[in-house]
Amino acid sequence: MRGWMGKFRSLFLFSALALFLSGCSGVDNVSALKPKGYSAELLFNLMMISIAIMLFVFIIVMVIYAFVLVRYRQRKGQEDMIPKQTEGNKALEVIWTVIPILLLLVLAVPTVQATFDLADRSKQDDKGTLTVEVTGNQYWWHFNYADQEIATSEDLYIPTGERVYLNMKSSDVIHSFWLPSIAGKMDTNPGENMNTMYLEAYDEGVYTGHCAELCGPSHSLMDFRVIAVSPEEFKQWKEDMKNVDPKAKPESTSAQEGQELFNKNCMSCHAIGNAAAGVGPNLTNYGNRTKIAGILEPTKENLVDWITNNNEIKPGNKMPMNLVSKEEAGKIADYLLQMKDTEITPESAGGSDNK
Ligand code: CUA
């Protein structure tokens, strides 16, 4: 009875664990186990090789273990039987030395190859390659398209099927740019030490990334999104971004007042248009953002909440609260959210994954 209960209990435990873990891969575009880009696929294949080798070793060891258990168990009437004792067997010793060496070689060759492949920058400065300067900040990401006179924050647009090279730094502490389904992970360091990586997305879509280095109280809220669009759409997006006029008058009176309030209170830190951001994120075409501050649904209500209450939403972030009243924040939100010149949006790229 006890044994049966014990089995039932472990079955329940394993089912619960499986259910819990299945939540980890529920989102298509944030999983290293569902690669959708060149680097992610390379890393996935390395994982599969390692798992195959581990399974191979595990199964062989288990078979030998089971064989020995059965073959040399104590039998009735032979309680004092001692099997033949062997000390030193050259053939066996050679086998169990050579097999691990071979297995390590099978692991090492593709790993070293992939390491060099992932660090390959030989084409970075060729004509036509796109380079983005990535800056990690507490707790947001800035993307400056070198030579393109475009800057944005939080949402990084890239063309599919093309290598986009990233030059990565931090403005404060160490962060880590992690885009599981497209590429791997790379630290961004303060100071002169610049890291690099590249992104190559196979399909259009919105891919979620996280900061993967503990960087302060809001580390876990430092999300970003990479929006992969077709090369033609990307060209269009670049044009649209370049043509943004920060002084353009919005249509509604509320948004017009919002623009004045924004210019008076927010412009010293934020930027709209090509100007690189100072202390705060670049807000060009803010109406196209997948999220507010990388984490909230892009609604007016959330934006007002963010402007007036941001330190409770993202503790330790540097935006001052209470600069404007709730009513004024509503006007600023109207202004920011109506700025969406470009036709190229997360929706046109296959929708947001909302996670
Ligand atoms: Cu930035 Cu963790």
Side-chain angles (χ1 to χ4, degrees), residues 57-69:
V57 173
F58 180 77
I59 289 170
I60 289 189
V61 169
M62 281 300 135
V63 167
I64 296 175
Y65 176 65
F67 170 78
V68 170
L69 265 186

Side-chain angles (χ1 to χ4, degrees), residues 136-141 172-176 188 210-216 218-222:
N137 307 276
Q138 281 169 324
Y139 300 97
W140 55 282
W141 295 93
D172 35 50
V173 298
I174 300 174
H175 303 275
S176 184
T188 64
H210 302 289
C211 177
E213 181 75 49
L214 185 60
C215 55
S218 289
H219 150 72
S220 67
L221 304 171
M222 197 173 153

Side-chain angles (χ1 to χ4, degrees), residues 4 29 37 54 205 296:
W4 182 83
N29 291 347
M54 281 189 275
L296 304 173

Side-chain angles (χ1 to χ4, degrees), residues 67-294:
F67 170 78
V68 170
L69 265 186
V70 175
R71 174 77 177 72
Y72 297 105
R73 70 188 189 279
Q74 198 180 51
R75 290 183 170 90
K76 254 210 171 105
Q78 301 182 358
E79 278 83 359
D80 298 328
M81 218 273 282
I82 304 265
K84 188 186 152 213
Q85 300 295 298
T86 311
E87 241 172 76
N89 182 323
K90 222 175 215 154
L92 266 181
E93 279 169 28
V94 168
I95 288 173
W96 69 52
T97 309
V98 169
I99 289 181
I101 291 178
L102 289 179
L103 291 181
L104 284 181
L105 277 177
V106 172
L107 265 179
V109 171
T111 305
V112 171
Q113 243 170 10
T115 307
F116 279 92
D117 194 355
L118 289 171
D120 179 28
R121 282 207 282 151
S122 56
K123 293 197 179 73
Q124 180 171 11
D125 295 321
D126 284 4
K127 259 209 151 105
T129 58
L130 187 64
T131 299
V132 180
E133 288 158 8
V134 175
T135 313
N137 307 276
Q138 281 169 324
Y139 300 97
W140 55 282
W141 295 93
H142 185 67
F143 306 113
N144 189 29
Y145 292 71
D147 310 328
Q148 309 280 337
E149 294 168 358
I150 302 172
T152 179
S153 301
E154 304 288 33
D155 282 2
L156 171 67
Y157 282 76
I158 61 167
T160 53
E162 219 171 277
R163 273 195 192 174
V164 179
Y165 293 89
L166 308 181
N167 290 345
M168 320 174 80
K169 278 187 168 190
S170 165
S171 72
D172 35 50
V173 298
I174 300 174
H175 303 275
S176 184
F177 180 98
W178 185 33
L179 191 60
S181 52
I182 300 289
K185 189 192 289 179
M186 186 57 78
D187 276 8
T188 64
N189 297 315
E192 291 309 303
N193 182 357
M194 186 181 79
N195 281 340
T196 61
M197 75 190 287
Y198 59 78
L199 308 177
E200 189 180 330
Y202 293 149
D203 305 313
E204 294 186 33
V206 179
Y207 303 93
T208 301
H210 302 289
C211 177
E213 181 75 49
L214 185 60
C215 55
S218 289
H219 150 72
S220 67
L221 304 171
M222 197 173 153
D223 290 358
F224 60 94
R225 294 198 172 53
V226 170
I227 295 141
V229 294
S230 70
E232 300 78 50
E233 285 178 312
F234 183 70
K235 226 173 137 195
Q236 179 67 49
W237 177 81
K238 275 195 314 194
E239 284 310 306
D240 291 347
M241 286 292 282
K242 272 184 209 168
N243 292 335
V244 166
D245 176 12
K247 294 194 181 80
K249 266 254 166 305
E251 273 175 30
S252 79
T253 345
S254 168
Q256 284 171 14
E257 288 172 32
Q259 186 180 31
E260 272 168 40
L261 286 163
F262 182 85
N263 289 341
K264 206 172 94 196
N265 295 289
C266 317
M267 265 308 206
S268 51
C269 294
H270 292 285
I272 288 173
N274 306 336
V279 218
N282 183 301
L283 303 179
T284 310
N285 279 341
Y286 194 81
N288 289 329
R289 285 288 165 82
T290 51
K291 299 274 169 173
I292 287 163

